[in-house]
Structure formats: structure tokens, C-alpha cells
Coordinates of all heavy atoms in Angstrom, one line a residue:
P1 N 70.7 93.5 59.5 CA 69.4 94.2 59.6 C 68.8 94.6 58.3 O 67.5 94.8 58.2 CB 69.8 95.5 60.4 CG 71.3 95.6 60.2 CD 71.8 94.3 60.1
D2 N 69.5 94.7 57.2 CA 69.0 95.0 55.9 C 68.6 93.8 55.1 O 67.6 93.9 54.3 CB 70.0 95.9 55.1 CG 70.3 97.2 55.8 OD1 69.3 97.8 56.3 OD2 71.4 97.6 55.8
T3 N 69.3 92.7 55.2 CA 69.0 91.5 54.3 C 68.5 90.4 55.1 O 67.9 89.5 54.5 CB 70.3 91.1 53.6 OG1 71.2 90.6 54.6 CG2 70.9 92.2 52.8
R4 N 68.7 90.3 56.4 CA 68.4 89.2 57.3 C 69.3 88.0 57.1 O 69.0 86.9 57.6 CB 66.9 88.8 57.2 CG 65.9 89.9 57.6 CD 66.1 90.3 59.1 NE 65.0 91.2 59.5 CZ 65.1 92.5 59.6 NH1 66.2 93.1 59.2 NH2 64.1 93.2 60.0
E5 N 70.3 88.1 56.3 CA 71.2 87.0 56.1 C 72.1 86.9 57.3 O 72.6 87.9 57.8 CB 72.1 87.2 54.9 CG 73.1 86.0 54.6 CD 73.8 86.2 53.3 OE1 73.3 86.9 52.4 OE2 74.9 85.6 53.2
L6 N 72.4 85.7 57.8 CA 73.2 85.5 59.0 C 74.7 86.0 58.7 O 75.2 85.6 57.7 CB 73.2 84.1 59.4 CG 71.9 83.6 60.0 CD1 71.9 82.1 60.3 CD2 71.5 84.3 61.3
V7 N 75.2 86.7 59.6 CA 76.6 87.3 59.5 C 77.4 86.9 60.8 O 76.8 86.9 61.9 CB 76.5 88.8 59.4 CG1 77.9 89.4 59.4 CG2 75.8 89.2 58.1
L8 N 78.6 86.5 60.6 CA 79.4 86.1 61.7 C 79.8 87.4 62.5 O 80.4 88.3 62.0 CB 80.7 85.5 61.2 CG 81.7 85.0 62.3 CD1 81.1 83.9 63.1 CD2 83.0 84.5 61.7
A9 N 79.4 87.4 63.8 CA 79.6 88.6 64.6 C 80.7 88.4 65.6 O 81.4 89.4 66.0 CB 78.3 88.9 65.4
E10 N 80.9 87.1 66.1 CA 82.0 86.9 67.1 C 82.6 85.5 66.8 O 82.0 84.6 66.4 CB 81.4 86.8 68.5 CG 80.9 88.2 69.0 CD 80.4 88.0 70.4 OE1 80.8 87.1 71.2 OE2 79.5 88.9 70.8
L11 N 83.9 85.4 67.1 CA 84.6 84.2 67.1 C 84.9 83.7 68.5 O 85.2 84.6 69.3 CB 86.0 84.3 66.3 CG 86.0 84.5 64.8 CD1 87.4 84.8 64.3 CD2 85.5 83.2 64.1
H12 N 84.7 82.5 68.8 CA 85.1 82.0 70.1 C 86.6 82.0 70.3 O 87.3 81.9 69.2 CB 84.5 80.6 70.4 CG 83.0 80.6 70.4 ND1 82.3 81.6 70.8 CD2 82.1 79.6 70.1 CE1 81.0 81.3 70.8 NE2 80.9 80.1 70.3
P13 N 87.1 82.0 71.5 CA 88.6 82.0 71.7 C 89.3 80.8 71.0 O 88.8 79.7 71.1 CB 88.8 81.9 73.2 CG 87.5 82.6 73.7 CD 86.4 82.2 72.7
G14 N 90.4 81.0 70.3 CA 91.1 80.0 69.7 C 90.6 79.5 68.3 O 91.2 78.6 67.6
I15 N 89.5 80.1 67.9 CA 88.9 79.8 66.5 C 89.3 80.8 65.5 O 89.3 82.1 65.8 CB 87.3 79.7 66.6 CG1 86.9 78.7 67.7 CG2 86.7 79.4 65.3 CD1 87.4 77.3 67.4
D16 N 89.7 80.4 64.3 CA 90.0 81.4 63.3 C 88.9 81.4 62.2 O 88.1 80.5 62.1 CB 91.4 81.2 62.7 CG 91.6 79.9 62.0 OD1 90.7 79.5 61.2 OD2 92.6 79.2 62.2
L17 N 89.0 82.4 61.4 CA 87.9 82.7 60.4 C 87.9 81.5 59.4 O 86.8 81.2 58.9 CB 88.2 84.0 59.7 CG 87.1 84.6 58.8 CD1 85.8 84.6 59.5 CD2 87.5 86.0 58.4
D18 N 89.0 81.0 59.0 CA 89.0 79.9 58.0 C 88.3 78.7 58.5 O 87.6 78.0 57.8 CB 90.5 79.5 57.7 CG 91.1 80.6 56.8 OD1 90.4 81.4 56.2 OD2 92.4 80.6 56.7
Q19 N 88.4 78.4 59.8 CA 87.6 77.3 60.4 C 86.1 77.5 60.2 O 85.4 76.5 59.9 CB 87.9 77.1 61.9 CG 89.3 76.5 62.2 CD 89.5 76.5 63.7 OE1 90.1 77.4 64.3 NE2 89.0 75.4 64.4
V20 N 85.6 78.7 60.5 CA 84.2 78.9 60.5 C 83.7 78.9 59.0 O 82.7 78.3 58.7 CB 83.9 80.3 61.1 CG1 82.4 80.5 61.1 CG2 84.4 80.4 62.5
R21 N 84.5 79.4 58.1 CA 84.1 79.4 56.7 C 84.1 78.0 56.2 O 83.2 77.6 55.4 CB 85.1 80.3 55.9 CG 84.8 81.8 56.0 CD 85.7 82.6 55.2 NE 85.3 84.0 55.1 CZ 86.1 85.0 55.1 NH1 87.4 84.9 55.1 NH2 85.5 86.2 55.0
A22 N 85.0 77.1 56.6 CA 85.0 75.7 56.2 C 83.8 75.0 56.7 O 83.4 74.0 56.1 CB 86.3 75.1 56.6
A23 N 83.3 75.4 57.8 CA 82.2 74.7 58.5 C 80.8 75.3 58.1 O 79.8 75.0 58.7 CB 82.3 74.8 60.0
T24 N 80.8 76.2 57.0 CA 79.6 76.9 56.6 C 79.4 76.6 55.1 O 80.2 76.7 54.3 CB 79.7 78.4 56.8 OG1 80.1 78.6 58.2 CG2 78.4 79.1 56.5
G25 N 78.1 76.1 54.8 CA 77.8 75.7 53.4 C 77.4 76.8 52.5 O 76.8 76.6 51.5
W26 N 77.7 78.1 52.9 CA 77.5 79.2 52.0 C 78.6 80.2 52.1 O 79.4 80.0 53.1 CB 76.1 79.9 52.2 CG 76.0 80.6 53.5 CD1 76.3 81.9 53.8 CD2 75.4 80.1 54.8 NE1 76.0 82.2 55.1 CE2 75.5 81.2 55.7 CE3 74.9 78.9 55.2 CZ2 75.0 81.0 57.0 CZ3 74.4 78.7 56.5 CH2 74.5 79.8 57.4
N27 N 78.7 81.2 51.3 CA 79.7 82.2 51.4 C 79.4 83.1 52.5 O 78.7 84.1 52.4 CB 79.8 83.0 50.1 CG 81.0 84.0 50.0 OD1 81.9 83.8 50.8 ND2 80.9 84.9 49.1
L28 N 80.0 82.8 53.7 CA 79.6 83.5 54.9 C 80.1 84.9 54.9 O 81.3 85.2 54.7 CB 80.3 82.7 56.1 CG 80.0 83.3 57.5 CD1 78.5 83.2 57.9 CD2 80.8 82.5 58.5
K29 N 79.2 85.8 55.3 CA 79.6 87.2 55.5 C 80.1 87.4 56.9 O 79.6 86.8 57.8 CB 78.5 88.1 55.1 CG 78.1 88.0 53.6 CD 76.9 89.0 53.3 CE 76.6 88.8 51.8 NZ 75.4 89.7 51.4
V30 N 81.0 88.4 57.0 CA 81.7 88.6 58.3 C 81.4 90.1 58.7 O 81.6 91.0 57.9 CB 83.2 88.3 58.3 CG1 83.8 88.6 59.6 CG2 83.4 86.9 57.9
S31 N 81.1 90.3 60.0 CA 80.9 91.7 60.4 C 82.2 92.5 60.3 O 83.2 92.0 60.6 CB 80.4 91.6 61.9 OG 80.4 92.9 62.4
A32 N 82.0 93.8 60.0 CA 83.2 94.6 60.0 C 83.7 94.9 61.4 O 84.8 95.3 61.5 CB 82.8 96.0 59.3
E33 N 82.9 94.6 62.4 CA 83.3 94.7 63.8 C 83.4 93.4 64.5 O 82.9 93.2 65.6 CB 82.3 95.6 64.5 CG 82.2 97.0 63.9 CD 81.1 97.9 64.5 OE1 80.4 97.4 65.4 OE2 81.1 99.1 64.2
L34 N 83.9 92.4 63.8 CA 84.1 91.0 64.3 C 84.8 91.1 65.7 O 85.9 91.6 65.8 CB 84.8 90.2 63.3 CG 85.1 88.7 63.7 CD1 83.7 88.0 63.8 CD2 86.0 88.0 62.7
G35 N 84.1 90.4 66.6 CA 84.7 90.4 68.0 C 85.0 89.0 68.4 O 84.9 88.0 67.6
E36 N 85.5 88.9 69.6 CA 85.8 87.6 70.2 C 85.0 87.4 71.4 O 84.9 88.3 72.3 CB 87.3 87.5 70.6 CG 87.7 86.1 71.2 CD 89.1 86.0 71.5 OE1 89.9 85.6 70.6 OE2 89.5 86.3 72.7
T37 N 84.3 86.2 71.5 CA 83.5 85.9 72.7 C 84.4 85.7 73.9 O 85.4 85.1 73.9 CB 82.8 84.5 72.4 OG1 82.2 84.5 71.1 CG2 81.7 84.3 73.5
P38 N 84.0 86.4 75.0 CA 84.8 86.1 76.3 C 84.8 84.7 76.6 O 83.8 84.0 76.5 CB 84.0 87.0 77.3 CG 83.3 88.0 76.5 CD 82.9 87.3 75.2
A39 N 85.9 84.2 77.1 CA 86.0 82.8 77.5 C 85.1 82.5 78.7 O 84.8 83.4 79.5 CB 87.5 82.5 77.8

């Protein structure tokens, strides 16, 4: 809300943070309240 930069808010089931970072071409920021998407 302050910068408008996209932040990871949820991981889908079975996905870990390293996978998402490896699939992102910038230094991805992660929400302090990172959740998991319901299957």
C-alpha cells in the first residue's frame, strides 16, 4: 500500500519460498503475514 511494489502474500500448497524467488526476476518482497492458498 505504501510503495505499490508487488509483494508475495500467499503460497499455493506444496510451493516453497525458494521456488517463487527463483521464478521472479527481481528481489521479491514477502509479506510478514505470508499465508497458504486453500487447495
Side-chain angles (χ1 to χ4, degrees):
D2 295 321
T3 67
R4 298 296 189 266
E5 182 175 335
L6 292 174
V7 174
L8 182 65
E10 293 180 25
L11 289 170
H12 294 332
I15 303 299
D16 63 47
L17 191 52
D18 287 342
Q19 283 179 268
V20 184
R21 285 182 165 142
T24 308
W26 69 86
N27 185 18
L28 180 65
K29 294 181 179 177
V30 179
S31 171
E33 300 176 354
L34 180 65
E36 181 176 274
T37 313

